[in-house]
Structures are given as structure tokens and as C-alpha cells.
Amino acid sequence: MRKLINKYSILAVVTCFGLGAGSGLADTTLFAEDTGFRIAKYRAPVPESPPGVAAIDVARVMQERSANAVLIDVRPVKIFEINEDGTWIVPEPVKTIPGAVWLPGIGLGEIEDWAGSYMETSLQQIVRAGETVIVFCRIDCWHSWNAVQRIAALGYEVRWFDGGVEAWEDAGGTLVASTPWPVMR
């Protein structure tokens, strides 16, 4: 079993719990200079759509979901392990939109090489030609804002569902248990 607990996993824990300034930890820069991606304090209001990507609401997600779209949940995991067979071990269950694929780790502002490869390989396996990718997380979470730009840069047609799982539930949608898409070697 290979553990993948690294500085980005720890950064995700620190930022998802709002630790930082005022908590005894040094404040960090919020955005990467080279990419513009949010790299700290991920749970915060997101003021606008990512550059070049359309934000969509629940009604549009439902419409596109029933047509030709793949939903990608990019919520992070605090601590995880990945087995030799590529399956993830996560301590907390996650519920997501029915039919969505969970790709944790790809929404951090700075990702390691393995996470970039994981994203690219997974999308090649999941998305067929002509399908639109709808990326989401939670409301007020920058993981989806970051990830949707990475996915668009790979050439996929993408939409950003900024309301995430909360907006889905508020509209009467159900959530189902999910496990992360396996890491292929």
C-alpha cells in the first residue's frame, strides 16, 4: 500500500478548515503568480466564473446531464491512501450527484505530477468525444474553479457548476455514495 499524504494534502486540510491568518499560522498568498489559481483558503466566496468558462445553474446541469455531459466532482480529501491496484482509501464517505465521477486532488491550486497525470488519464477514460464536462465541488469552494480551467486547457468542452452539491440538494436532487475514480498505473 502506498501512502500519498503530502504537503498538498496537508495544505488542503489547513485551507479547508480555514486555518491560517488569525489561527497562529502564517498567512499565505492566495493566488499562484504563474497560473492565477487559488492556492490557499479554498472555502471562500468565488466572485466570478473562471476565464473562458461558462458558469451554469442546477436547471442547466439537469438539462446537460440528461443529454451529453459528464459530471466531475473535484472535492478534495483530507487524508488518503492509494492501494497498489489504484483504489483510494478515504476515511470519510462522500456523497455526490448521481452519475458523477469523483476526481479528488485535481482542484488544488498547485498539484503534484501524479495528480496531473491522474486527471489526464482519468478524463481520457471517462469522457467520450463530443461530451461536455461539468465540474463542481461545493458552494464557495475554489477547487472547482481551479480544476475547470485545467480541464479546459486539455481541450475539453467544460462548464462550471458553481453551486455544487449544496445547490443540487437545495433543488431537490439526491446525493449518492461515491468512491474516487482509481489511479491507473
Side-chain angles (χ1 to χ4, degrees), residues 10-25:
I10 301 304
L11 179 62
V13 171
V14 169
T15 57
C16 284
F17 285 105
L19 301 175
S23 68
L25 297 175

Side-chain angles (χ1 to χ4, degrees), residues 68-81:
N68 205 21
V70 176
L71 278 71
I72 304 291
D73 186 338
V74 298
R75 284 181 287 167
V77 292
K78 297 173 199 154
I79 298 172
F80 59 90
E81 293 180 30

Side-chain angles (χ1 to χ4, degrees), residues 32-180:
E33 289 183 30
D34 58 337
T35 63
F37 292 163
R38 181 100 175 200
I39 58 172
K41 299 182 183 177
Y42 293 99
R43 289 304 306 270
V46 183
E48 58 188 46
S49 298
V53 178
I56 60 175
D57 61 11
V58 174
R60 182 83 182 267
V61 171
M62 289 181 181
Q63 177 186 6
E64 289 197 23
R65 178 176 170 248
S66 63
N68 205 21
V70 176
L71 278 71
I72 304 291
D73 186 338
V74 298
R75 284 181 287 167
V77 292
K78 297 173 199 154
I79 298 172
F80 59 90
E81 293 180 30
I82 298 178
N83 286 320
E84 290 299 322
D85 67 357
T87 57
W88 293 65
I89 300 171
V90 295
E92 299 176 16
V94 167
K95 290 191 171 189
T96 194
I97 298 170
V101 176
W102 183 22
L103 298 178
I106 70 168
L108 290 168
E110 297 171 336
I111 61 174
E112 293 183 22
D113 290 343
W114 76 267
S117 295
Y118 169 63
M119 175 184 64
E120 290 183 39
T121 302
S122 299
L123 290 169
Q124 290 168 1
Q125 295 168 347
I126 297 164
V127 183
R128 295 185 305 257
E131 289 181 318
T132 299
V133 177
I134 299 173
V135 179
F136 67 95
C137 185
R138 304 180 65 99
I139 196 165
D140 290 342
C141 182
W142 288 79
H143 284 269
S144 59
W145 193 89
N146 290 339
V148 75
Q149 292 177 82
R150 279 195 182 99
I151 294 169
L154 293 173
Y156 292 93
E157 179 68 29
V158 294
R159 308 279 186 272
W160 178 50
F161 177 33
D162 61 332
V165 292
E166 290 90 352
W168 182 263
E169 274 192 306
D170 289 349
T174 60
L175 297 177
V176 297
S178 181
T179 57

